[in-house]
Amino acid sequence: MKYSLSDFTLDEKMKLLSGKDFWHLHDLDGKVYSVLCMDGPHGVRRISEPEWEIETGANSVAFPSLCVLGQTFNEELAGEMGEALADECIDEGVDILLAPGCNIHRSPLCGRNFEYFSEDPYLSGVFAREYIKGLQSKGVGACLKHYCLNNSEMGRVWTSSEADERTMREIYLEAFRIATEADPLSVMSSYNLVNGVRMSENKTLYNLLRGEFWREDGVIFSDWAAVQDEVASVKAGLDIKMPHQSYEVLRRAYDEGKITEKEIDECAKRVLLLIEKCENNLAKRGKTSPKHERYKAAEKIAREGIVLLKNNGVLPLKGDADILITGIKPDLYVSGGGSSNLTPDYTPKTLDVAISEAAPELLIEKADGSQWSTTYYRAYEGGCGKDAVIVLVNAEETEDGDKGSMRLSRESELLILENAKRCNNTIVVVRAGCAVDMSAWEKKVGAIVYAGFGGAMGNEALAAILMGIESPSGRLTATFAHTYEDYPVSRAYRTHAVNSYSEGLSVGYRYFDEHPECVLFPFGHGLSYADFEYSNIQISGKGEIYTVSFEIKNTSGIDAKEVSQVYVREINPHVIRPYKELKAFKKLLLRGGECVKVKIQLTKRDFAYYSLSEGAWVTKPGEFEILIGRSAHDIKLAGRVTI
Ligand code: GLC
């Protein structure tokens, strides 16, 4: 240890327990290394407002949102994004990236779902883990967030998320447990309360995190301005209160005997270790990748994260097609709002330009439907006589607020419907951060592409998919039900101060497996331009390790990536359990006509549930089914195993 507590006065140790300014930790006037933290999960934020005390004119690469990254179902891309973001951080002198978030998509109205991976804890945890590994492998620290049960933005600072322990363990903490396998440099506690205790002073959940999942000396940050009681926070083991100083409060509390030096030392020693790790990281840093490599990574992720939900055959577009591109402000750069927002350092290509570059012979007309009105369209006749119409529609999503509805704006829906009247090959491209209510129009259109918030390279990626340069391979990481009322969260008890997770384990497909009639597009759904056949499942093993193998054949003539999902189901559980749960997934490139054998290993823990009576994860002896699916509702193979 370079820094030991005995080297510092009590006042200095108190100063270490909060920020020096909005983004820096305290450096005690140069006595310790000055650590710079910065947002955000899909790009290094440019802070150009001088009042935020830092000018980073960063040329930030705007990567796709974490939800789009999750939709790739390709965990290697999470590592690649982490590495590319590390390079962005190194260029800007950032020591800790305030990312990734791994909160669960509990409600489709949550304003921050775009910053999170999925409704499923396993998928969320794996992607957060691989992202952290990539980021930290290049000498930049992660700050896994927001711990925990921060699944709504409305009233986030004063609302208590109320959940029973099994629900917490199996759904909301499980993603953090898996993610901490990557040993993040830090964790950020969330704004909300959990079962009545504020997360910036929740000793019980800090002890669970440090004692069961992570490390005793792991540093916990507050969320920015989340701390309501500095003394209670320090006593609970919250190490760093951001963004600003709380020295005076701690000094006074100490003088009044409300806090001891020992309690301050508990936090100060973890902060000194973190500062030392950040300093040591500098030596770990190698040459950063060139900018264009990072843009390539961003485009690759955006491409693989695009989900083709419906296709009447209009896609991929023919090279000589005559198309109309329209939308409400179709050229608008679309991303989620709040602390993760970025101003890309280069003006992203519009879709018409990206398509023209991909297919120069294609005829493109563009009409901004923003001033859309029936009169306008009657005059303009919209998509009449076109081979296809692409309607770009956007959902507004932001931190610090939940959506009032899952539906698109009325003008977007009307634009879709009017074009669908004029052209059977109307393709709707949805740029949103999570599930959208499509019930008003999805039956009337020829194709639906869920592009998510694709970042600065989003339109290049979209053009590649629309033109068939690459087959779509993305899959939904959250269930798209018909309407908000189909989700159990819509019936959960909620007041100004309490958010009751009364649906328990019934989140996402864990609920919809029993209610398929509510589902428009299931978890894991995504079409390809190729066709695949699954066969020959074999299950072997006993005791701790089980091997599942099966074959996939690409029966089409085109190369394409395919995602297989592996679910586990207990046949006759003696406790309430979801019908099935995702325990593995695999994405493979299959050449046209190619057949591959997939081998997946499961452990005994993959069959377990959290037993309240035993206070542990247990796998009871019994018969289980292993299901191989293209989605939660498209199961291709099944086999049984006795544990
Ligand atoms: C915000 C967010 C958090 C972000 C921090 C700094 O309120 O909740 O994710 O990293 O404050 O901007």
Side-chain angles (χ1 to χ4, degrees):
M1 283 274 286
K2 175 177 180 183
Y3 303 120
S4 67
L5 285 172
S6 54
D7 300 338
F8 300 88
T9 67
L10 176 60
D11 280 354
E12 287 173 330
K13 291 184 285 189
M14 287 179 186
K15 287 177 181 172
L16 288 172
L17 307 192
S18 59
K20 181 177 185 182
D21 58 39
F22 208 85
W23 301 106
H24 288 92
L25 303 193
H26 222 295
D27 65 347
L28 302 179
D29 300 327
K31 186 168 180 178
V32 296
Y33 175 68
S34 173
V35 174
L36 173 60
C37 310
M38 189 57 69
D39 287 322
H42 23 267
V44 178
R45 196 169 164 189
R46 300 170 67 170
I47 303 303
S48 49
E49 299 80 24
E51 71 273 13
W52 284 22
E53 292 137 10
I54 182 161
E55 278 291 337
T56 61
N59 300 336
S60 311
V61 175
F63 287 88
S65 75
L66 292 199
C67 188
V68 172
L69 175 60
Q71 287 168 188
T72 68
F73 270 76
N74 181 348
E75 61 196 77
E76 289 170 15
L77 294 182
E80 279 189 45
M81 184 154 154
E83 290 172 13
L85 282 165
D87 288 338
E88 289 282 284
C89 288
I90 292 166
D91 287 354
E92 293 305 315
V94 173
D95 299 287
I96 300 177
L97 188 65
L98 302 171
C102 69
N103 295 95
I104 295 297
H105 289 200
R106 172 180 178 243
S107 166
L109 299 183
C110 175
R112 272 188 114 166
N113 280 342
F114 70 95
E115 281 192 52
Y116 304 139
F117 295 104
S118 174
E119 69 188 26
D120 179 77
Y122 173 75
L123 190 75
S124 302
V126 166
F127 269 87
R129 181 189 67 203
E130 298 311 309
Y131 176 113
I132 293 166
K133 281 183 188 170
L135 183 73
Q136 299 193 153
S137 69
K138 301 199 80 170
V140 175
C143 184
L144 177 65
K145 67 189 186 181
H146 303 86
Y147 183 73
C148 55
L149 280 78
N150 187 178
N151 307 97
S152 166
E153 289 298 297
M154 184 168 70
R156 63 182 180 173
V157 177
W158 62 76
T159 304
S160 176
S161 300
E162 307 276 310
D164 63 271
E165 185 178 8
R166 188 168 168 216
T167 297
M168 288 178 64
R169 291 273 183 171
E170 293 197 19
I171 305 291
Y172 299 98
L173 295 175
E174 183 64 356
F176 284 94
R177 183 192 67 78
I178 297 168
T180 46
E181 289 169 356
D183 193 10
L185 182 70
S186 57
V187 166
M188 184 189 295
S189 57
S190 55
Y191 283 114
N192 56 288
L193 294 80
V194 174
N195 296 326
V197 180
R198 188 168 296 284
M199 276 314 300
S200 52
E201 51 193 72
N202 198 314
K203 190 175 184 67
T204 306
L205 289 175
Y206 293 168
N207 291 348
L208 186 156
L209 173 67
R210 288 187 174 118
E212 289 190 39
F213 298 169
W214 185 28
R215 52 172 46 240
E216 288 299 346
D217 58 12
V219 165
I220 298 175
F221 280 77
S222 75
D223 201 336
W224 265 234
V227 169
Q228 308 288 315
D229 178 336
E230 281 88 345
V231 174
S233 292
V234 172
K235 285 176 177 287
L238 180 102
D239 301 308
I240 303 178
K241 168 188 175 281
M242 290 306 282
H244 287 308
Q245 270 289 10
S246 62
Y247 160 69
E248 291 74 13
V249 174
L250 292 182
R251 179 76 250 184
R252 192 167 52 250
Y254 175 79
D255 295 342
E256 293 166 359
K258 291 178 183 161
I259 194 165
T260 66
E261 180 160 11
K262 184 174 181 309
E263 288 167 325
I264 289 175
D265 284 354
E266 273 304 299
C267 297
K269 73 173 183 283
R270 287 190 286 255
V271 177
L272 287 169
L273 179 60
L274 174 122
I275 292 171
E276 183 172 347
K277 285 178 180 176
C278 289
E279 201 169 3
N280 293 343
N281 267 343
L282 302 177
K284 275 172 70 178
R285 294 176 175 180
K287 196 169 165 333
T288 57
S289 60
K291 265 296 184 188
H292 71 266
E293 289 295 317
R294 301 174 209 170
Y295 280 112
K296 260 170 66 178
E299 183 180 352
K300 184 162 58 164
I301 294 161
R303 279 192 188 191
E304 289 206 31
I306 289 172
V307 185
L308 179 56
L309 295 176
K310 176 180 180 183
N311 185 19
N312 69 353
V314 62
L315 291 174
L317 290 172
K318 295 178 181 40
D320 59 357
D322 175 4
I323 68 169
L324 165 69
I325 295 178
T326 185
I328 306 300
K329 301 192 187 76
D331 292 348
L332 182 71
Y333 173 69
V334 186
S335 70
S339 60
S340 68
N341 200 0
L342 289 169
T343 315
D345 76 302
Y346 97 119
T347 308
K349 281 194 187 108
T350 54
L351 182 60
D352 54 311
V353 170
I355 289 180
S356 297
E357 287 177 358
E361 323 72 51
L362 203 124
L363 292 176
I364 299 178
E365 219 170 305
K366 194 163 79 171
D368 183 336
S370 300
Q371 295 76 35
W372 179 82
S373 70
T374 314
T375 318
Y376 168 77
Y377 245 82
R378 204 163 284 133
Y380 187 75
E381 281 312 301
C384 274
K386 297 292 181 187
D387 296 320
V389 175
I390 298 173
V391 186
L392 290 161
V393 291
N394 313 319
E396 310 271 323
E397 296 177 39
T398 181
E399 174 183 345
D400 206 11
D402 287 345
K403 297 192 292 185
S405 161
M406 280 179 65
R407 293 185 63 161
L408 299 168
S409 67
R410 192 68 194 123
E411 56 176 359
S412 294
E413 290 189 344
L414 284 175
L415 191 62
I416 293 167
L417 294 169
E418 285 298 326
N419 276 285
K421 279 182 202 163
R422 292 167 171 83
C423 179
N424 294 330
N425 286 335
T426 292
I427 303 158
V428 180
V429 175
V430 180
R431 300 184 295 192
C434 62
V436 163
D437 173 346
M438 303 177 177
S439 51
W441 48 268
E442 59 86 17
K443 286 186 177 54
K444 299 186 167 77
V445 298
I448 306 172
V449 177
Y450 180 60
F453 294 142
M457 305 303 285
N459 283 330
E460 279 95 326
L462 189 53
I465 298 296
L466 294 175
M467 298 316 300
I469 293 165
E470 182 166 320
S471 169
S473 62
R475 299 297 177 77
L476 291 181
T477 61
T479 306
F480 278 39
H482 296 294
T483 67
Y484 176 61
E485 290 64 36
D486 289 320
Y487 293 83
V489 65
S490 67
R491 298 182 287 280
Y493 176 77
R494 171 142 202 189
T495 68
H496 171 76
V498 170
N499 206 352
S500 168
Y501 287 39
S502 49
E503 76 281 357
L505 302 173
S506 299
V507 177
Y509 68 82
R510 287 172 168 81
Y511 169 79
F512 291 110
D513 276 350
E514 315 273 359
H515 302 274
E517 72 285 359
C518 298
V519 176
L520 177 59
F521 298 113
F523 173 88
H525 172 72
L527 301 178
S528 171
Y529 293 148
D531 296 306
F532 299 94
E533 262 171 21
Y534 284 67
S535 62
N536 196 12
I537 183 169
Q538 312 224 326
I539 301 171
S540 61
K542 60 181 184 303
E544 292 304 314
I545 301 289
Y546 297 82
T547 303
V548 188
S549 67
F550 54 95
E551 289 171 11
I552 310 175
K553 181 175 173 53
N554 178 346
T555 55
S556 73
I558 60 166
D559 301 351
K561 290 183 178 169
E562 172 64 347
V563 174
S564 314
Q565 297 140 40
V566 181
Y567 297 91
V568 164
R569 173 171 92 88
E570 183 168 0
I571 305 290
N572 292 308
H574 56 289
V575 291
I576 294 177
R577 294 194 72 169
Y579 176 79
K580 66 176 186 288
E581 297 175 283
L582 182 73
K583 294 298 176 185
F585 56 88
K586 193 89 179 163
K587 185 172 215 178
L588 292 168
L589 171 64
L590 278 83
R591 303 286 177 207
E594 185 182 8
C595 182
V596 297
K597 183 169 185 173
V598 183
K599 201 174 270 192
I600 302 251
Q601 280 213 326
L602 295 175
T603 65
K604 194 174 172 186
R605 170 65 164 70
D606 290 322
F607 299 86
Y609 71 93
Y610 188 80
S611 161
L612 288 176
S613 51
E614 293 155 275
W617 285 86
V618 296
T619 301
K620 297 292 187 193
E623 205 172 10
F624 290 81
E625 200 171 32
I626 296 175
L627 305 152
I628 312 297
R630 289 202 79 249
S631 81
H633 290 187
D634 183 6
I635 299 302
K636 296 293 186 187
L637 301 168
R640 294 204 169 192
V641 63
T642 302
I643 305 283

